[in-house]
Amino acid sequence: INLDDVSNLDDLDRLHIVPEKICFRYNPGPELARGNAIIGKPEEAKYGMTKEQLMTCVDWAKKKGISYIGIHTMVISAELELPGLLGTISMMFDLANEIRDKKGVTVSFIDFGGGIGIPYRPEQDPVDIEGLGEGARKLFEEKMKGFDHTRICFECGRAITGPYGFLVTKAIHYKHIYRDYIGVDACMADLMRPGMYGAYHHVTVLGKADAPKDHVYDVVGSLCENCDKFAIQRPLPEIKTGDLIVIHDTGAHGHSMGYNYNGRLRHQEILVHENGSVQQIRRNETLFDLFATLDFPNLKENTAKVTKE
Ligand SMILES: Cc1ncc(COP(=O)(O)O)c(C=O)c1O
């Protein structure tokens, strides 16, 4: 169990739970002034607990006889540069030392959280993973004497799956008002990142890789939210109704962040195998799925009738 707050100790006590392994999530607050676009300044972020609270948690775990104690944090996200990632590592190594000095506990593992970014923009370079490993090793040798059995880990889901997912959508509308808009049949319920934090996702048009990018479009979904835009003022080749538009790097925080606002149904997912064959691994949602959790008289019959019609 990874506790986000000291108050969770009361929950464990109330439920008479003494985990075999336990972990505590640290929020350095003003000690780490550096902010992150996605997570925000640690001081203003809801995650984790203060150092003092974390020490209270370590005392609790010691008292309960738990010998496998870990520490966790997540202060940055989608980071491409080594100083930010190594800064997290260094901070957590210092914390491990402080816990040992003050509480006589040698933590069994340190989890640096997520944070390893991917190059969403074509001009960006991927994280220098070997450099990160090398930097982590140097910091370990410098700061972690006597921690030979302490595991260290990152949660690198985005880095592993992010670049390998694509949202394929069709241009179904255009309008020319004060800007040129292309309306597509996906919307931010399929991919929330651009609308939620202005994230850039690269956009290409199938069959037009070599066409000049001589048009500037907002590529938009159909939700009644003006932030439902996959691309804003993006130079792209001319797009015609029916063109397939590919939104890149949607393998993380894509479908899994999906929702049903405006009655939108979640899309199917297709797995492309190494040999090029394709397999549907998730079907499209239907109206029946949308109403499946509702429960009132005659609902099922009516929904079945509407779906059939
Ligand atoms: C605990 C934890 N680990 C990992 C992640 C994923 O982080 P990222 O996608 O930046 O690697 C998150 C995201 O919110 C998280 O809260």
Side-chain angles (χ1 to χ4, degrees):
I1 297 178
N2 188 18
L3 299 195
D4 185 65
D5 188 52
V6 64
S7 61
N8 297 143
L9 297 180
D10 294 338
D11 300 324
L12 293 182
D13 281 338
R14 184 169 43 82
L15 298 166
H16 306 291
I17 292 174
V18 180
E20 216 173 286
K21 300 176 179 178
I22 197 154
C23 183
F24 307 116
R25 183 167 180 162
Y26 176 50
N27 179 332
E31 263 189 45
L32 189 74
R34 193 186 58 238
N36 177 268
I38 294 179
I39 304 232
K41 275 187 185 174
E43 203 180 347
E44 294 165 6
K46 66 179 182 174
Y47 313 107
M49 59 184 100
T50 68
K51 193 182 286 176
E52 208 185 350
Q53 291 169 335
L54 194 137
M55 293 294 175
T56 304
C57 288
V58 172
D59 281 338
W60 179 92
K62 254 175 79 176
K63 210 167 77 200
K64 298 284 179 186
I66 302 172
S67 57
Y68 200 91
I69 300 173
I71 49 175
H72 175 258
T73 199
M74 168 118 185
V75 284
I76 48 176
S77 181
E79 179 63 56
L80 292 173
E81 303 298 331
L82 291 191
L85 295 164
L86 290 172
T88 302
I89 296 176
S90 179
M91 176 186 84
M92 292 303 276
F93 285 171
D94 289 343
L95 180 63
N97 275 285
E98 208 173 323
I99 291 172
R100 192 163 65 174
D101 293 347
K102 289 190 174 149
K103 304 292 173 190
V105 168
T106 302
V107 292
S108 300
F109 70 97
I110 306 175
D111 182 337
F112 308 115
I116 299 178
I118 56 172
Y120 285 102
R121 293 174 185 266
E123 69 274 15
Q124 288 175 324
D125 291 323
V127 172
D128 171 8
I129 293 289
E130 301 219 330
L132 178 60
E134 185 56 25
R137 190 179 61 79
K138 275 198 191 127
L139 281 169
F140 195 90
E141 283 170 0
E142 184 192 316
K143 297 192 168 198
M144 297 290 282
K145 305 251 181 309
F147 283 87
D148 302 336
H149 300 291
T150 299
R151 291 177 57 224
I152 58 172
C153 49
F154 264 105
E155 298 161 23
C156 18
R158 180 200 306 263
I160 291 170
T161 63
Y164 308 105
F166 299 86
L167 176 59
V168 182
T169 183
K170 193 182 280 177
I172 52 172
H173 297 293
Y174 63 88
K175 64 188 283 189
H176 306 291
I177 46 172
Y178 309 103
R179 287 182 176 185
D180 287 347
Y181 291 91
I182 297 295
V184 297
D185 63 357
C187 66
M188 72 182 280
D190 300 293
L191 175 68
M192 204 176 171
R193 298 187 73 249
M196 186 166 56
Y197 29 60
Y200 179 97
H201 278 264
H202 199 54
V203 169
T204 49
V205 187
L206 274 194
K208 297 191 177 176
D210 299 324
K213 293 180 179 170
D214 51 5
H215 287 63
V216 174
Y217 293 116
D218 280 15
V219 179
V220 304
S222 55
L223 290 196
C224 60
E225 294 292 344
N226 194 40
C227 60
D228 181 17
K229 297 186 175 188
F230 292 117
I232 297 175
Q233 293 296 278
R234 186 81 58 88
L236 288 166
E238 184 179 21
I239 297 174
K240 299 269 193 217
T241 304
D243 277 349
L244 286 179
I245 294 176
V246 180
I247 302 170
H248 294 231
D249 303 309
T250 62
H253 310 96
H255 195 286
S256 57
M257 262 190 187
Y259 52 97
N260 288 120
Y261 181 53
N262 272 178
R264 293 302 304 246
L265 304 170
R266 288 187 189 82
H267 57 262
Q268 64 178 322
E269 290 190 292
I270 306 286
L271 179 68
V272 181
H273 288 281
E274 262 178 305
N275 66 6
S277 62
V278 296
Q279 180 188 0
Q280 187 190 49
I281 54 169
R282 192 194 298 273
R283 64 163 171 79
N284 280 319
E285 283 184 353
T286 66
L287 263 188
F288 188 77
D289 296 312
L290 192 59
F291 291 106
T293 48
L294 277 179
D295 194 8
F296 60 83
N298 300 332
L299 173 82
K300 288 222 162 62
E301 294 80 340
N302 286 340
T303 313
K305 196 166 149 246
V306 170
T307 310
K308 212 170 148 199
E309 279 167 9

